[in-house]
Amino acid sequence: SFNAPDPIAMNDLRAAAVQFQHQPGDKPANLKIVREYTAKAAAQGVNLIVFPEMCVTGYWHLRDLPRADLETLAEPIPDGETTQALLDLTKEHELSVGAGLIERGGDGRLFNSYVVAMPDGRTACHRKLHCFINEHMSSGDDYTVFDLPDGTRAGILICYDCNLGENVRITALKGAEVLLAPHQTGGCNTPSSRCMGVIDVNLWENREVDSDAIEAEFKGPKGREWLLKWMPARAHDNGIYIIFSNGVGRDDNEVRTGNSMILDPYGDVLAETWKAGNDMVVADLKAETRHMCTGVRWIRSRRPGLYEPIATPTGKEKDIRTVRFSREDS
């Protein structure tokens, strides 16, 4: 069911978005970084910290793994070791923590999932709707909107989920005031000619000697410029805050661009980084900013009776793996 957005329902919230270079398959090492940044965020009075997609397990190397290796990395949610570790962390620091990993569902299916652990003992979990990383992993079928401990309504969409405007709009219609947007993106080998594209891994490996060269790539069309083509529109049109957390650095044979940022409901960037390394940005999400903002008012002006074609198949739909990697123009 949909709930009409209430522009004054949310509470002020201090949020953090973290970017870090994960170690492929090394969950203890990656959780160590999660712990370190959570402690730093708590020291700054943060209420919600958002880490990247698949940051616990690693990401791009998963595309080549057989199912048995994926099973070794996978865990149930919320009873798995990682979720329980996150819950312990939230209680220690009194803030909510979100992180990505491979979930083993009760039916044995594997998902690219994102779990938010909260200090009151609750968890929320989103299964990526458009999963293409490995043929042995399934896409989720549900939108995820939940209450943070202070009552603010939050939603989760993972990486490619955010690219489709319908997903963000439905999440907003379900009442989300803040969108957690964990990614592993930028620097991707893509058929598009005007955005992203591969970054020379040598620029990353040489970052301590020449940080300007790699950061120029992060700021350009392979990173920040691409993000700013669409992400502000998602925030503005839906009247929501967006907390964008991304991987950074070499991810197997590609380089993630970081650019973690927090946007307000007008699409303005409140905080961002283009550092060629692990980093965290913090911003205050003010309830007052949503009051009568453009997106909230536009949603209230909708005429749903006109929108049936949006949910009607055109016959041109393709499997996400085909769309993601195809070089066809049609």
Side-chain angles (χ1 to χ4, degrees), residues 171-197:
T171 301
L173 288 173
K174 285 179 170 290
E177 300 156 320
V178 175
L179 177 66
L180 283 63
H183 280 60
Q184 292 288 347
T185 195
C188 301
N189 185 9
T190 172
S192 301
S193 60
R194 296 286 299 276
C195 66
M196 288 207 287

mmCIF file of all heavy atoms in Angstrom, residues 171-197:
data_model
loop_
_atom_site.group_PDB
_atom_site.id
_atom_site.type_symbol
_atom_site.label_atom_id
_atom_site.label_comp_id
_atom_site.label_asym_id
_atom_site.label_seq_id
_atom_site.Cartn_x
_atom_site.Cartn_y
_atom_site.Cartn_z
ATOM 1 N N THR A 171 9.283 3.899 -4.022
ATOM 2 C CA THR A 171 9.811 3.961 -2.657
ATOM 3 C C THR A 171 9.327 5.220 -1.950
ATOM 4 O O THR A 171 8.956 5.192 -0.766
ATOM 5 C CB THR A 171 11.351 3.902 -2.682
ATOM 6 O OG1 THR A 171 11.763 2.683 -3.325
ATOM 7 C CG2 THR A 171 11.935 3.927 -1.282
ATOM 8 N N ALA A 172 9.293 6.341 -2.674
ATOM 9 C CA ALA A 172 8.773 7.584 -2.095
ATOM 10 C C ALA A 172 7.277 7.471 -1.816
ATOM 11 O O ALA A 172 6.786 7.940 -0.781
ATOM 12 C CB ALA A 172 9.053 8.754 -3.035
ATOM 13 N N LEU A 173 6.534 6.848 -2.726
ATOM 14 C CA LEU A 173 5.101 6.687 -2.531
ATOM 15 C C LEU A 173 4.791 5.815 -1.315
ATOM 16 O O LEU A 173 3.740 5.952 -0.690
ATOM 17 C CB LEU A 173 4.450 6.086 -3.777
ATOM 18 C CG LEU A 173 4.349 7.000 -4.997
ATOM 19 C CD1 LEU A 173 3.836 6.224 -6.202
ATOM 20 C CD2 LEU A 173 3.455 8.198 -4.712
ATOM 21 N N LYS A 174 5.717 4.938 -0.986
ATOM 22 C CA LYS A 174 5.540 4.095 0.192
ATOM 23 C C LYS A 174 5.933 4.829 1.476
ATOM 24 O O LYS A 174 5.925 4.234 2.547
ATOM 25 C CB LYS A 174 6.341 2.802 0.034
ATOM 26 C CG LYS A 174 5.714 1.810 -0.943
ATOM 27 C CD LYS A 174 6.560 0.555 -1.079
ATOM 28 C CE LYS A 174 5.816 -0.517 -1.855
ATOM 29 N NZ LYS A 174 4.675 -1.095 -1.121
ATOM 30 N N GLY A 175 6.278 6.098 1.334
ATOM 31 C CA GLY A 175 6.501 6.920 2.519
ATOM 32 C C GLY A 175 7.931 7.262 2.842
ATOM 33 O O GLY A 175 8.193 7.940 3.839
ATOM 34 N N ALA A 176 8.895 6.823 2.020
ATOM 35 C CA ALA A 176 10.293 7.098 2.332
ATOM 36 C C ALA A 176 10.582 8.591 2.289
ATOM 37 O O ALA A 176 10.177 9.295 1.362
ATOM 38 C CB ALA A 176 11.209 6.365 1.362
ATOM 39 N N GLU A 177 11.268 9.069 3.294
ATOM 40 C CA GLU A 177 11.718 10.452 3.380
ATOM 41 C C GLU A 177 13.217 10.557 3.128
ATOM 42 O O GLU A 177 13.725 11.595 2.692
ATOM 43 C CB GLU A 177 11.394 11.006 4.769
ATOM 44 C CG GLU A 177 9.902 10.969 5.073
ATOM 45 C CD GLU A 177 9.600 10.952 6.566
ATOM 46 O OE1 GLU A 177 10.307 10.263 7.327
ATOM 47 O OE2 GLU A 177 8.641 11.645 6.952
ATOM 48 N N VAL A 178 13.901 9.466 3.410
ATOM 49 C CA VAL A 178 15.342 9.359 3.213
ATOM 50 C C VAL A 178 15.604 8.072 2.445
ATOM 51 O O VAL A 178 15.068 7.013 2.797
ATOM 52 C CB VAL A 178 16.086 9.322 4.564
ATOM 53 C CG1 VAL A 178 17.579 9.098 4.350
ATOM 54 C CG2 VAL A 178 15.835 10.600 5.350
ATOM 55 N N LEU A 179 16.423 8.161 1.383
ATOM 56 C CA LEU A 179 16.765 6.972 0.601
ATOM 57 C C LEU A 179 18.216 6.602 0.830
ATOM 58 O O LEU A 179 19.121 7.420 0.605
ATOM 59 C CB LEU A 179 16.531 7.224 -0.887
ATOM 60 C CG LEU A 179 16.918 6.055 -1.815
ATOM 61 C CD1 LEU A 179 16.016 4.854 -1.569
ATOM 62 C CD2 LEU A 179 16.866 6.489 -3.271
ATOM 63 N N LEU A 180 18.456 5.372 1.285
ATOM 64 C CA LEU A 180 19.806 4.835 1.376
ATOM 65 C C LEU A 180 20.138 4.241 0.013
ATOM 66 O O LEU A 180 19.415 3.374 -0.488
ATOM 67 C CB LEU A 180 19.895 3.750 2.445
ATOM 68 C CG LEU A 180 19.954 4.200 3.911
ATOM 69 C CD1 LEU A 180 18.688 4.943 4.326
ATOM 70 C CD2 LEU A 180 20.169 2.988 4.820
ATOM 71 N N ALA A 181 21.232 4.725 -0.588
ATOM 72 C CA ALA A 181 21.586 4.324 -1.947
ATOM 73 C C ALA A 181 23.015 3.786 -1.990
ATOM 74 O O ALA A 181 23.938 4.461 -2.463
ATOM 75 C CB ALA A 181 21.432 5.509 -2.897
ATOM 76 N N PRO A 182 23.229 2.572 -1.498
ATOM 77 C CA PRO A 182 24.564 1.964 -1.548
ATOM 78 C C PRO A 182 24.905 1.490 -2.955
ATOM 79 O O PRO A 182 24.071 0.885 -3.636
ATOM 80 C CB PRO A 182 24.439 0.787 -0.574
ATOM 81 C CG PRO A 182 22.985 0.412 -0.632
ATOM 82 C CD PRO A 182 22.237 1.697 -0.834
ATOM 83 N N HIS A 183 26.115 1.771 -3.411
ATOM 84 C CA HIS A 183 26.531 1.462 -4.779
ATOM 85 C C HIS A 183 27.910 0.805 -4.828
ATOM 86 O O HIS A 183 28.684 0.868 -3.878
ATOM 87 C CB HIS A 183 26.608 2.747 -5.610
ATOM 88 C CG HIS A 183 25.316 3.267 -6.117
ATOM 89 N ND1 HIS A 183 24.277 3.637 -5.288
ATOM 90 C CD2 HIS A 183 24.885 3.520 -7.386
ATOM 91 C CE1 HIS A 183 23.264 4.089 -6.022
ATOM 92 N NE2 HIS A 183 23.615 4.024 -7.294
ATOM 93 N N GLN A 184 28.204 0.222 -5.992
ATOM 94 C CA GLN A 184 29.553 -0.084 -6.460
ATOM 95 C C GLN A 184 29.546 0.345 -7.926
ATOM 96 O O GLN A 184 29.182 -0.421 -8.819
ATOM 97 C CB GLN A 184 29.891 -1.577 -6.334
ATOM 98 C CG GLN A 184 30.011 -2.090 -4.922
ATOM 99 C CD GLN A 184 31.267 -1.594 -4.209
ATOM 100 O OE1 GLN A 184 32.192 -1.052 -4.834
ATOM 101 N NE2 GLN A 184 31.300 -1.757 -2.887
ATOM 102 N N THR A 185 29.906 1.580 -8.182
ATOM 103 C CA THR A 185 29.714 2.117 -9.529
ATOM 104 C C THR A 185 30.805 3.111 -9.884
ATOM 105 O O THR A 185 31.691 3.417 -9.100
ATOM 106 C CB THR A 185 28.313 2.773 -9.647
ATOM 107 O OG1 THR A 185 28.006 2.981 -11.018
ATOM 108 C CG2 THR A 185 28.254 4.093 -8.887
ATOM 109 N N GLY A 186 30.698 3.640 -11.107
ATOM 110 C CA GLY A 186 31.709 4.525 -11.645
ATOM 111 C C GLY A 186 32.864 3.707 -12.194
ATOM 112 O O GLY A 186 33.155 2.605 -11.714
ATOM 113 N N GLY A 187 33.498 4.193 -13.238
ATOM 114 C CA GLY A 187 34.629 3.474 -13.816
ATOM 115 C C GLY A 187 34.250 2.142 -14.438
ATOM 116 O O GLY A 187 35.101 1.273 -14.608
ATOM 117 N N CYS A 188 32.987 1.991 -14.785
ATOM 118 C CA CYS A 188 32.504 0.710 -15.310
ATOM 119 C C CYS A 188 32.699 0.617 -16.819
ATOM 120 O O CYS A 188 32.624 1.613 -17.536
ATOM 121 C CB CYS A 188 31.016 0.526 -14.996
ATOM 122 S SG CYS A 188 30.615 0.558 -13.247
ATOM 123 N N ASN A 189 32.915 -0.602 -17.301
ATOM 124 C CA ASN A 189 32.935 -0.867 -18.734
ATOM 125 C C ASN A 189 31.491 -0.873 -19.208
ATOM 126 O O ASN A 189 30.736 -1.785 -18.895
ATOM 127 C CB ASN A 189 33.605 -2.211 -19.011
ATOM 128 C CG ASN A 189 33.755 -2.476 -20.497
ATOM 129 O OD1 ASN A 189 33.506 -1.598 -21.318
ATOM 130 N ND2 ASN A 189 34.175 -3.679 -20.838
ATOM 131 N N THR A 190 31.086 0.156 -19.926
ATOM 132 C CA THR A 190 29.688 0.337 -20.273
ATOM 133 C C THR A 190 29.534 0.608 -21.758
ATOM 134 O O THR A 190 30.423 1.193 -22.389
ATOM 135 C CB THR A 190 29.072 1.506 -19.478
ATOM 136 O OG1 THR A 190 27.756 1.795 -19.966
ATOM 137 C CG2 THR A 190 29.912 2.758 -19.624
ATOM 138 N N PRO A 191 28.402 0.178 -22.356
ATOM 139 C CA PRO A 191 28.162 0.479 -23.773
ATOM 140 C C PRO A 191 27.806 1.937 -24.018
ATOM 141 O O PRO A 191 27.810 2.390 -25.151
ATOM 142 C CB PRO A 191 26.989 -0.444 -24.133
ATOM 143 C CG PRO A 191 26.294 -0.712 -22.836
ATOM 144 C CD PRO A 191 27.384 -0.734 -21.808
ATOM 145 N N SER A 192 27.489 2.691 -22.981
ATOM 146 C CA SER A 192 27.136 4.098 -23.157
ATOM 147 C C SER A 192 28.346 4.897 -23.635
ATOM 148 O O SER A 192 29.480 4.651 -23.203
ATOM 149 C CB SER A 192 26.618 4.684 -21.844
ATOM 150 O OG SER A 192 25.478 3.982 -21.395
ATOM 151 N N SER A 193 28.102 5.877 -24.471
ATOM 152 C CA SER A 193 29.203 6.666 -25.031
ATOM 153 C C SER A 193 29.405 7.987 -24.315
ATOM 154 O O SER A 193 30.413 8.665 -24.515
ATOM 155 C CB SER A 193 28.943 6.951 -26.518
ATOM 156 O OG SER A 193 27.742 7.683 -26.686
ATOM 157 N N ARG A 194 28.460 8.369 -23.441
ATOM 158 C CA ARG A 194 28.514 9.692 -22.822
ATOM 159 C C ARG A 194 28.682 9.642 -21.308
ATOM 160 O O ARG A 194 28.587 10.673 -20.658
ATOM 161 C CB ARG A 194 27.241 10.472 -23.171
ATOM 162 C CG ARG A 194 27.059 10.786 -24.649
ATOM 163 C CD ARG A 194 27.987 11.887 -25.111
ATOM 164 N NE ARG A 194 27.750 13.130 -24.405
ATOM 165 C CZ ARG A 194 26.812 14.012 -24.739
ATOM 166 N NH1 ARG A 194 26.020 13.777 -25.767
ATOM 167 N NH2 ARG A 194 26.671 15.127 -24.052
ATOM 168 N N CYS A 195 28.876 8.469 -20.749
ATOM 169 C CA CYS A 195 29.035 8.396 -19.294
ATOM 170 C C CYS A 195 29.855 7.176 -18.899
ATOM 171 O O CYS A 195 29.952 6.208 -19.647
ATOM 172 C CB CYS A 195 27.678 8.354 -18.597
ATOM 173 S SG CYS A 195 26.727 6.871 -18.916
ATOM 174 N N MET A 196 30.430 7.274 -17.741
ATOM 175 C CA MET A 196 31.279 6.238 -17.155
ATOM 176 C C MET A 196 32.393 5.844 -18.123
ATOM 177 O O MET A 196 32.947 6.681 -18.810
ATOM 178 C CB MET A 196 30.436 5.058 -16.670
ATOM 179 C CG MET A 196 29.641 5.400 -15.427
ATOM 180 S SD MET A 196 29.248 3.994 -14.374
ATOM 181 C CE MET A 196 27.987 3.191 -15.341
ATOM 182 N N GLY A 197 32.755 4.587 -18.160
ATOM 183 C CA GLY A 197 33.911 4.170 -18.928
ATOM 184 C C GLY A 197 35.036 3.729 -18.005
ATOM 185 O O GLY A 197 35.109 4.103 -16.841
#
